[in-house]
Amino acid sequence: MDPQLRDEHRQLLEKNQKQLLTYGTSGFREESKYLKFVGWRVGIFIGQMSKNTTLKLGVMITASHNKIIDNGFKIVPPKGGMLSIEEEQNIEIFYKSEEIVQSETQYDTGIVYVGRDTRPSSESLCQIVLDGIKEAGAIGINLGIVTTPQCAFLVYATNLGLVNQIESNQQFFVEYFCNIFLQLIKNPIKGTLVIDGAEGVGGIWIKYFQEKLANVLTIQRINYGDEPHLLNDGCGSEFVQKEKKLPKNFVYDPNYRYASLDGDADRLVYYYFEQNKLQIIEGDRFAILFAMYIKQQLQKKPDLKLSIGIIQTAYANSASTKYITENLGIYAKYAPTGVKYLHRVAHEFDIGIYFEANGHGAVIYKDHVLSQLKEFELFELELFLKLSNQAVGDAIINILMTEFLLNKLEITIQDWLLIYQDYPALSTKLYVKNKQIIKTNYEETSLIEPIDLKQKVDEIMSKYDNSYRTCIRPSGTENVVRIHSEGPQVEIVKEIDFRINELLKSYMEI
């Protein structure tokens, strides 16, 4: 099977002038017709990997917010989260190798859970992964249709001993988080929350939360997965955020709150519509809302010393960073673009909060934090942190955390948006022949090479005060250079963007 699939894979890539795949933040992701061989090799790799641990592993088959013809594979480590850099390199080498080398393993077998989204290609790709796991001598267990965070949490929860027989108890995900939420909510939350499920798996699973929480939270679902062939089509968080448009089936009511998930339910945006204008709550504001509450609670016990950090990318609006550091007094740290980088840096703090602008994020904490909160009798904060999915960023669970905070702090979506004012920002991209000549610092906030290009950029920026900035970086997925500029006045931001683009056009081959 391996040589046949490998040859088919190569022929498809050559025919369509595609390169071999790389394992990135989203795992392996590509148009589904290219993925049979990749899925087979992923199954064998993780099957072998599972035989070197007593813990369970996972694979999620999804392409998140991508178009429906795409799909992908993301490996779930024992604690959820992301693979290490070394493990990412190993799986890429294994996928690209000519022959499979069956290495020595510590145990005779292992267990791998495999989840999938609702894409037409997901079921057949799931079977290929399961066949690969079996080929490696491990046991593959089909979780069926689950969200990406749900798959990660079920692996994590099983390894912690929170649940047994995961294969027959995917509902544990709903029960676990709903029980915590019900302990936090003292009275029914006013108004109705409308959740756009992107016609994906999140819309399906929201139904169970809707039923379980009916006495305290009124949820109305739209685009909830009954038309899976329209996945991410005119709906979902990616559509709302990037297109700045309302999702299909939107009905306005001034008493409603609105939220959109992405296709696999790990991204989230809130928004409201007023005077024919769409106002969107993006990732930075979730981080600040969560941090405000955590800081308020910890201030009740000054003797309790816990470090808090908010992790952002170069795309985070500078006004949010200024508010975090100056108003909240919380440390803000940059990480490279990609949730895997933010997740790793967040572990440096006792309580780490990370969100990308696209609404993908989480609150994670070190093992000792909950016991210290209990010792200092901060029981509500203990429950709030327990409510956070520790395995990975989770849009559905972040909705529960958000609804608790809006209710607890007695603020509306409009109030939330007014906590600080974003600087005007402009993000553009330039198609180039060789993006690799562009080198940045680790955090991607400053250009390092080419040196003469950096000098010209610095010369342009020297004409503006320090409240303006521009970031230039090579795209991780396209042959483009991305430019992000921002500052207090929109006309000056446009001017900076134009001048940087013109400089790059004259400097690079396009």
Side-chain angles (χ1 to χ4, degrees), residues 492-504:
I492 295 179
V493 172
K494 289 179 180 178
E495 179 183 306
I496 291 170
D497 178 75
F498 174 79
R499 295 182 67 182
I500 296 295
N501 269 277
E502 290 301 303
L503 170 63
L504 290 172

Side-chain angles (χ1 to χ4, degrees), residues 300-311:
K300 296 177 181 179
K301 304 289 181 178
D303 291 338
L304 176 56
K305 307 297 183 185
L306 294 175
S307 61
I308 309 173
I310 294 181
I311 321 304

Side-chain angles (χ1 to χ4, degrees), residues 147 149-150 153 172-181 184 195 206 209 213 261 265-268 270 286 290 355 361-363 383-404:
T147 71
Q150 183 179 8
F153 176 77
F172 176 75
F173 171 75
V174 179
E175 294 163 4
Y176 179 85
F177 288 109
C178 283
N179 287 339
I180 297 172
F181 185 74
L184 278 168
I195 302 177
I206 279 289
F209 287 86
L213 301 175
L261 315 176
D266 60 7
R267 293 186 186 185
L268 168 69
Y270 268 62
F286 285 96
F290 292 0
F355 272 88
V363 181
L383 281 172
F384 178 75
L385 292 184
K386 278 185 177 180
L387 186 58
S388 176
N389 188 339
Q390 293 302 287
V392 72
D394 187 330
I396 294 176
I397 303 312
N398 286 342
I399 283 177
L400 298 187
M401 297 176 78
T402 300
E403 288 297 305
F404 164 71

Side-chain angles (χ1 to χ4, degrees), residues 259-273:
S260 286
L261 315 176
D262 71 340
D264 65 337
D266 60 7
R267 293 186 186 185
L268 168 69
V269 294
Y270 268 62
Y271 45 94
Y272 71 93
F273 188 69

Side-chain angles (χ1 to χ4, degrees), residues 29 43 70 115 213 216 229 242 252 334 344 369 412 425 446 473:
R29 188 175 291 183
D70 293 345
L213 301 175
V216 297
H229 60 288
K242 296 291 171 61
Y252 174 71
Y334 282 113
R344 288 169 185 155
V369 169
T412 64
S446 300
R473 73 174 184 91

Side-chain angles (χ1 to χ4, degrees), residues 311-313 335-347 353-356 360 364:
I311 321 304
Q312 299 183 297
T313 71
T337 304
V339 71
K340 67 180 181 182
Y341 299 109
L342 282 85
H343 192 87
R344 288 169 185 155
V345 176
H347 280 289
I353 305 165
Y354 70 88
F355 272 88
E356 291 188 295
H360 191 168
I364 58 177

